[in-house]
Amino acid sequence: MATREMADFLRSRRDRIRPSSVGLPDGGRRRAPGLRRAEVALLAGISPDYYMRLEQGRGIRPSPSVLDGLARALVLNDDERDHLYRLALSLPSPPSAAADAPVADAPVHPTVRRLLDEIAPVPAYVINPRLDVLAWNATAAALMPHLAEQPASRRNMLRYALCDPRARTFYVEWEEVARHGIAQLRTATGRDPDDPATRALIRELSRTPHFGTWWDRQDVKGPGMGRKEYRHPVVGRLALDYIGMVLPGTPDHQFVTLTAPEDGPARAALDELAALARS
């Protein structure tokens, strides 16, 4: 599975690069706008035949030096480079804090759960790589009431975005949110390509509109920071800044907080939301 994923990923990254952007001439007839295989091989310092076998998924296990060359040739960002390494070298996930559970499904540490409650009224939650909500505080549940309606076993951020029609109204930039979530799910397949729960989620989501098209883009995303804007059914429209942080000891768990500037309508709406959560 990882070999096929790596082949698809390499092709997708090659297709997006214009030759002129990496110092090669654009001239000559090209069937596609991206780089030719031979050009990637030249830039990476490997033979064209070796690179062709990589893209054909023939089970080659490239060395770290080859992967570094490919990352430079394909102008990969940090998330993409990490994804390539995991696909190529089958890097195992870090040890779980719970020996009897996969890392992604390990229980949330009691200290982290206590922190979720202590930082209220800030909405905060913990997710795993496939975007299952493993724990959250009351303010986060109040922020996402449609997701809160779901049983804990079905509480997945991407499933909500793609399968619940209310999500298209709830998220002001719905497409951006959905595509970002798909890129995070793609990253999860690189960390553990054969995880049955992740594969089951992909099969489920593949029946929804747009998923297949966006999944085939091979985009990957890791934890980060940014802004999301919501249309909340009670407090109205609010834009919140989020930060996703990898938790020590359980690196497959991501701790996400959402905040608003002190002076502004979003902060007033967030305070109203926190009061609603307390009640």
Side-chain angles (χ1 to χ4, degrees), residues 175-255:
E175 180 175 330
E176 180 181 342
V177 169
R179 290 176 62 170
H180 189 102
I182 289 171
Q184 289 180 286
L185 183 61
R186 171 67 75 179
T187 303
T189 66
R191 296 181 67 86
D192 193 353
D194 299 313
D195 176 64
T198 301
R199 288 291 156 191
L201 179 63
I202 292 169
R203 287 193 299 271
E204 178 184 353
L205 298 181
S206 66
R207 297 191 290 268
T208 65
H210 307 298
F211 178 82
T213 300
W214 294 336
W215 181 257
D216 290 343
R217 288 177 58 89
Q218 295 279 335
D219 292 333
V220 290
K221 294 284 186 183
M225 58 192 300
R227 174 166 291 191
K228 286 184 182 178
E229 196 166 359
Y230 308 88
R231 295 187 188 93
H232 193 273
V234 176
V235 303
R237 188 161 171 164
L238 70 164
L240 300 178
D241 298 315
Y242 70 85
I243 299 177
M245 299 163 283
V246 175
L247 287 170
T250 317
D252 272 1
H253 288 182
Q254 185 182 155
F255 190 94

Side-chain angles (χ1 to χ4, degrees), residues 97-145:
D100 59 347
V103 174
D105 300 311
V108 177
H109 195 279
T111 303
V112 176
R113 290 186 178 273
R114 186 164 64 248
L115 176 61
L116 286 171
D117 293 333
E118 290 288 343
I119 66 172
V122 173
Y125 53 89
V126 177
I127 54 175
N128 62 16
R130 60 176 172 269
L131 305 186
D132 293 330
V133 178
L134 305 178
W136 57 3
N137 59 22
T139 316
L143 174 64
M144 296 175 277

